[in-house]
């Protein structure tokens, strides 16, 4: 058996061994923990490095793609600008062409209007000349008829025969028409009866007409055909007698180019499209030979017209 003192010495030694073992174990565990932690840190660093490399590669690819897209977009933009410039140039050319065509169209329209105006003027001039020639011919025939009448009167003929409903006065026949008409329609009505709207050349004739004409006013054959305000009778004769109402004719109202005879007998210029209820026609009376020359020809508006309604040319007896 060991002695007690020896046992006492062995107890601290055992405790010392246990504590060293514990410290050694703790150091090993600590070293293992640090090794594990370092391993984890290394793994995390490696994984992070790989992730960063992948992100860098992906970012590089994205940057490259974005650069390519930007270059393509820039190229498309340049192409669009070039196309827009070309379109603008084409548009300007079209506008210039349109303006040129408008100018040509305006010039052609102006030329066409000028040609139409010239044609209208030519037609109007031709019509006026024809009307003047016709009026002149009619006046000549009227003068010839009057000369024939004077000749027949000198030979004893009696010139007082008028158609039915016509009234004789001083070798002329007068028809007092009734019915609402404008001036030109009244003239046509007289033409249809182989007469014309009355022309007045003496106070005696005026008094006769005042006595028989309508008291509401009648159209007579006086009219204004030019811009000078000169009135002329439809038979072409000039005004050698007048019976204007006080203050007439007036020139205040443009278009009052036709003349009416009031119930008092005074004349008044009026609008030609005004409708009056009466008008007066006249024509030469028919001449009949004296009783001793019953077989002689009669001279008047009826006998002097041929089958075509025209007046004959002067015959030889006129110069005998």
């Amino acid at each position: 058996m060991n002695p007690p003192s020896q046992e006492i010495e062995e107890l601290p030694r055992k405790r010392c061994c246990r504590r060293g073992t514990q410290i050694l174990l703790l150091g090993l565990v600590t070293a293992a923990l640090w090794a594990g932690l370092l391993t984890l840190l290394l793994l995390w660093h490696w994984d992070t490095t790989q992730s960063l490399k992948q992100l860098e590669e992906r970012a590089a690819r994205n940057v490259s793609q974005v650069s390519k897209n930007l270059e393509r977009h820039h190229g498309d933009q340049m192409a669009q600008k070039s196309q827009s410039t070309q379109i603008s140039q084409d548009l300007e050319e079209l506008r210039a062409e349109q303006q040129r065509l408008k100018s040509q169209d305006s010039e052609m329209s102006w030329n066409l209007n000028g040609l139409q105006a010239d044609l209208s003027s030519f037609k109007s001039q031709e019509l006026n000349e024809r009307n003047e020639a016709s009026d002149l011919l009619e006046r000549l025939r009227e003068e010839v008829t009057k000369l024939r009448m004077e000749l027949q009167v000198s030979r004893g003929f009696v010139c007082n025969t008028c158609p039915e409903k016509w009234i004789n006065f001083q070798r002329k026949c007068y028809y007092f028409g009734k019915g609402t008409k404008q001036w030109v329609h009244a003239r046509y009505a007289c033409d249809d009866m182989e007469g014309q709207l009355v022309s007045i050349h003496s106070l005696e004739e005026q008094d006769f007409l005042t006595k028989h004409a309508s008291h509401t006013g009648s159209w007579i054959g006086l009219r204004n055909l030019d811009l000078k305000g000169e009135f002329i009778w439809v038979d072409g004769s000039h005004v050698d007698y007048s019976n204007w109402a006080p203050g007439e004719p007036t020139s205040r109202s443009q278009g009052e180019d036709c003349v009416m005879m009031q119930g008092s007998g005074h004349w008044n210029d009026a609008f030609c499209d005004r409708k009056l209820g009466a008008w007066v026609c006249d024509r030469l009376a028919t001449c009949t030979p004296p009783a001793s020359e019953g077989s002689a020809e009669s001279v008047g508006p009826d006998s002097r017209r041929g089958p075509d309604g025209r007046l004959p040319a002067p015959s030889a007896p006129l110069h005998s």
Side-chain angles (χ1 to χ4, degrees):
M1 283 185 67
N2 295 322
S5 58
Q6 186 177 0
E7 291 179 356
I8 292 171
E9 291 177 359
E10 289 178 354
L11 283 173
R13 191 178 298 170
K14 288 182 181 179
R15 287 179 182 176
C16 235
C17 291
R18 288 179 183 175
R19 187 173 297 172
T21 303
Q22 290 177 352
I23 291 171
L24 179 61
L25 289 174
L26 181 60
L28 291 173
V29 170
T30 302
L33 288 174
W34 277 107
L37 181 60
L38 181 60
T39 302
L40 289 176
L41 287 173
L42 290 173
L43 289 174
W44 177 79
H45 178 70
W46 182 82
D47 186 61
T48 302
T49 303
Q50 294 297 321
S51 297
L52 287 174
K53 287 182 179 181
Q54 291 178 358
L55 286 174
E56 288 177 357
E57 292 176 356
R58 189 179 302 168
R61 287 195 300 269
N62 290 336
V63 169
S64 177
Q65 185 65 35
V66 169
S67 298
K68 291 179 181 180
N69 291 337
L70 286 175
E71 290 178 358
R72 185 167 57 251
H73 177 70
H74 182 68
D76 293 341
Q77 189 176 16
M78 293 299 294
Q80 289 179 356
K81 285 183 179 180
S82 177
Q83 187 177 5
S84 175
T85 302
Q86 185 64 36
I87 291 175
S88 297
Q89 291 177 356
D90 294 342
L91 183 60
E92 289 297 327
E93 291 178 359
L94 287 175
R95 287 176 178 172
E97 183 67 17
Q98 184 180 20
Q99 188 66 28
R100 187 179 65 83
L101 291 175
K102 284 184 178 180
S103 178
Q104 288 182 353
D105 182 65
S106 177
E107 184 178 358
M108 291 179 64
S109 298
W110 185 83
N111 292 334
L112 180 59
N113 291 335
L115 290 174
Q116 290 178 344
D118 292 341
L119 180 60
S120 177
S121 176
F122 176 75
K123 288 183 177 179
S124 177
Q125 182 179 0
E126 182 183 10
L127 181 61
N128 290 335
E129 290 177 354
R130 290 177 59 183
N131 290 337
E132 290 177 1
S134 178
D135 292 342
L136 178 60
L137 180 60
E138 188 65 28
R139 289 196 298 270
L140 290 174
R141 288 172 175 168
E142 193 76 18
E143 292 298 325
V144 169
T145 303
K146 289 180 180 179
L147 290 175
R148 290 170 61 89
M149 179 178 289
E150 293 294 335
L151 178 61
Q152 296 297 326
V153 168
S154 66
R155 294 170 54 187
F157 281 61
V158 179
C159 300
N160 59 1
T161 303
C162 295
E164 185 179 359
K165 297 183 179 180
W166 290 65
I167 301 176
N168 172 257
F169 180 76
Q170 294 183 349
R171 304 177 189 171
K172 291 175 66 175
C173 302
Y174 299 86
Y175 180 84
F176 298 90
K178 296 188 180 297
T180 304
K181 294 183 183 298
Q182 297 177 357
W183 186 90
V184 66
H185 297 144
R187 179 180 181 180
Y188 292 156
C190 293
D191 291 341
D192 291 340
M193 293 184 289
E194 297 184 356
Q196 57 191 1
L197 279 174
V198 65
S199 58
I200 308 170
H201 297 280
S202 67
L203 176 61
E204 293 80 10
E205 187 176 16
Q206 179 63 65
D207 292 340
F208 166 79
L209 294 174
T210 303
K211 179 180 178 181
H212 291 85
S214 171
H215 295 290
T216 60
S218 307
W219 286 122
I220 60 176
L222 193 60
R223 58 184 174 174
N224 176 24
L225 290 181
D226 54 37
L227 299 177
K228 297 179 181 179
E230 181 181 0
F231 287 86
I232 192 169
W233 296 104
V234 292
D235 61 2
S237 58
H238 293 281
V239 179
D240 52 7
Y241 165 82
S242 62
N243 192 35
W244 293 105
E248 301 294 339
T250 60
S251 58
R252 295 189 300 270
S253 299
Q254 185 178 3
E256 293 186 346
D257 297 326
C258 296
V259 179
M260 60 173 290
M261 183 175 63
Q262 300 173 346
S264 62
H266 289 108
W267 304 351
N268 177 36
D269 56 343
F271 290 101
C272 297
D273 57 356
R274 177 178 175 180
K275 293 184 177 180
L276 295 181
W279 69 97
V280 183
C281 308
D282 71 358
R283 58 182 287 180
L284 293 176
T286 302
C287 297
T288 57
S292 60
E293 300 182 10
S295 60
E297 62 175 349
S298 62
V299 179
D302 295 327
S303 60
R304 60 193 174 91
R305 297 181 182 270
D308 59 352
R310 296 181 178 275
L311 292 170
S315 56
L318 180 63
H319 306 284
S320 60

